[in-house]
Amino acid sequence: MVSEYINPLVIQRADPQIYKHSDGFYYFSASVPDYNRIELRRAKTINGLAHATPKTIWRKHDTGEMSQLIWAPEIHFLNGKWYVYFAAASTTEFDENGMFQHRMFVLESIAENPMESEDSWIEKGRVETPIDSFSLDATVFTLKNKLYYVWAQKDPTIKGNSNIYISEMANPWTLKTEPVLLTKPEYDWEKQIFWVNEGPAVIHHDNKIFLTYSASATDENYAMGMLSLNDDQDVLNPNAWRKSEKPVFTSNLEINQYGPGHNSFTVSEDGTKDILVYHSRNYTKIAGDPLYDPNRHTNVQEFGWDVEGYPVFGSPVNYNYE
Amino acid sequence: MVSEYINPLVIQRADPQIYKHSDGFYYFSASVPDYNRIELRRAKTINGLAHATPKTIWRKHDTGEMSQLIWAPEIHFLNGKWYVYFAAASTTEFDENGMFQHRMFVLESIAENPMESEDSWIEKGRVETPIDSFSLDATVFTLKNKLYYVWAQKDPTIKGNSNIYISEMANPWTLKTEPVLLTKPEYDWEKQIFWVNEGPAVIHHDNKIFLTYSASATDENYAMGMLSLNDDQDVLNPNAWRKSEKPVFTSNLEINQYGPGHNSFTVSEDGTKDILVYHSRNYTKIAGDPLYDPNRHTNVQEFGWDVEGYPVFGSPVNYNYE
C-alpha cells in the first residue's frame, strides 16, 4: 500500500493519537520519551504534524500518584469541552507482582483552545474503577448519546498484565456502570513474553463498531488484535463482541518495522479515507532498558474495508522520507 | 524571504548542524533535550531530516568528565574518517564563577558509515587547550590543506562566559598552535544578561572566510555576530579578522522567532544555494529552567550575498508548515 503520508511521521513519539477536530486542526498527542509531561501539537494537515511546535499542557508532579511515567495521553472533545486522559504512577518501581503501578487520570481545559496554556488545564483527578490495580491507556467514544470509557487493567484473578474493559460514563471523569471485560490474553500472539491486552482504540464504520488493541511484549512481538460488534447490539454486553482469532496488524520483518501498535484512528484531510495511526521501531537490538529507548516512531497509513465491512489494515508500510 | 524548506525543520533540537557529504546524504546532529547522548540522522533531502530516524552513536558515561550535559555535537569528515566533536561536563553544578564546567571531546568512527553502530565510534579523548577552563562548541574547517579548530572558551582574565578562539590542528583531536583569541563580548548586543560569544561556524565564499558566532543569553537576546577576512590572509592572525559592529541575525518579534543562533551552514540539494541552519524558540515565557525547556527547534533558510561578497542572512522566517 502506497501512502501519501511521510513515514515515520513523528520521530520519537509512542502511543500516538491523532484527533481531527471541527476547527480544522489535527491534534497530536503521544507519550514523550521522558515520560514527564503532556504535550499537544496541531496542524492543518497530517504531514504538518511532523513540524508542528509542541506545547506542554501539563507536567508531572514532584511526588505522589501523578509523579512518574506519564503515558499515553489522549485528547477528546466531549460535550463542548476538551479532555485529556493519561496514565501516571507514583514510582518507577514494580509492585509485588512485577507490574508497573499506573492509574488513570483526566484533565479538563477551561479554554476553548486546548493549546492555550498550561494554566488552562485543570486536574479532574483519578478515574476510579472498582479494582484498585494497574490501569492505563484509556480512550472514550460516544454512541447514541452515551459516553463510553475503554481501558486496560490488571485483574489479580486473571493471569497476565492487563485486559480490556468498558464502562458507560456518568461524566468525562466518572464511570457509571460496572466494568465489563471485553478481552484478555488468550491466543499465542497475545502472550509473547508478556500476557498483555492494552492500548484500545474504537472506530465506527457503517453498522459495525471495531475495537482494536495491542497484545504481547512491546518488542517485535507487539501486535494488534480486534473485537467487533454490530452497532444495534449493546456494547456493554461482552457476548455481543466477536474477537478475531488472529492479529490484524503485525511486524513486517522484511522492512524492519517492528512491534506496530498502540494505535488510534483518524481520517484524511478530505474526510474520505480512514487512517491508521500507530508506533513501531525500526530495530530490535536495544541497548539498555527498552522503556527508555526513545525510538518508537509514529507512523500513519490509509486502510480500507472488505466486502463484509471489516477493516483491512495490511502491513506496516516502509519509511518513505527522502 | 520565502523558503522551499519547511520550518521548523526539526522539532526540539538545538545547536543544529547539517553536514552534506559526498555520499549524497545530509547528516544532522544537534543537542538532544535530555543532554544524555549523541544522535545522528541522515536523509537525501533537507526536508527529509524531519522524518529521518535517529541513531544513537554515543551515550554519556555514568560518572566522570563525560557524564553530564552533552552539548552541541558536530560531525565532520576529515582525511577519510568521520569525527564527532562535542562538549560534556562532569556535573550539572556551576563552578566558583557561576559557570558550567564543560570540556571538549572527540569521537572517531572506525566504520565507513557513521550511522553503522554505537560500537563503531571510539573515544579519542579530550581536546586539550592551554587553559583548563569551560570550553565548548567546537567546529573545524580546512583551508589550504591545513585543519583548523574553532571553539568557545572562558579565559579567567576576561570578563564574561566565553570568547571565540582558533588554532591549527596537528590531527583531528590535537591542537598544534597556541589558541588565538578572535572575538570576545564587546558590543551591547553581545552582553545582554550574559557576556557570551559561542557557537562558531565557518563558511568560505569566493575569496572571503566568514566566522559566525552567537552572543548574549540564550533567550530572545541571543543573536549572531560575524567575523570575516580575505582568504589570502592568515586565519591565525587576529588582526586580519574584521568584526561586524552589529549582529547579523536577530530575533523577529513580529513572528515570535526568539533567540536565533548556534548556527551552521549547508547547501541546497542542487548545490546552488547557501542555507543557514539555526535554532530558535517561538515563545519567551518559560516555566522552570530554560535549559530544560525542550522547545528550541531547528530552522533552515536560504541566504544570499551582497555585491561586496558578504552574506545577507535577513531575518528568521515564519513557520510555514500546514
Side-chain angles (χ1 to χ4, degrees), chain A residues 6-13 33-34 37 39 41-56 59 118-119 282-283 285-288 292-295 297 319 321-322, chain B residues 6-13 33-34 37 39 41-56 59 118-119 282-283 285-288 292-295 297 319 321-322:
Chain A
I6 306 177
N7 281 314
L9 179 69
V10 183
I11 292 296
Q12 297 182 340
R13 288 296 183 275
D34 288 336
R37 64 189 188 275
E39 281 182 354
R41 59 175 87 181
R42 69 177 185 184
K44 293 283 175 74
T45 69
I46 290 175
N47 280 336
L49 293 170
H51 300 270
T53 55
K55 176 94 174 175
T56 296
R59 290 162 207 263
E118 247 172 279
D119 300 331
N282 65 327
Y283 54 85
K285 195 183 166 192
I286 292 172
Y292 296 105
D293 180 287
N295 290 319
H297 308 304
Y319 291 153
Y321 67 89
E322 289 184 342
Chain B
I6 306 177
N7 281 314
L9 178 71
V10 183
I11 292 294
Q12 297 182 339
R13 289 295 184 274
D34 289 336
R37 64 188 189 275
E39 281 182 356
R41 60 175 86 183
R42 69 178 184 182
K44 292 284 175 71
T45 70
I46 290 174
N47 280 337
L49 293 170
H51 300 270
T53 55
K55 175 93 176 178
T56 297
R59 289 164 207 261
E118 247 173 278
D119 301 331
N282 64 329
Y283 55 85
K285 195 183 165 192
I286 292 172
Y292 296 104
D293 180 287
N295 289 320
H297 308 304
Y319 291 154
Y321 67 90
E322 290 186 340

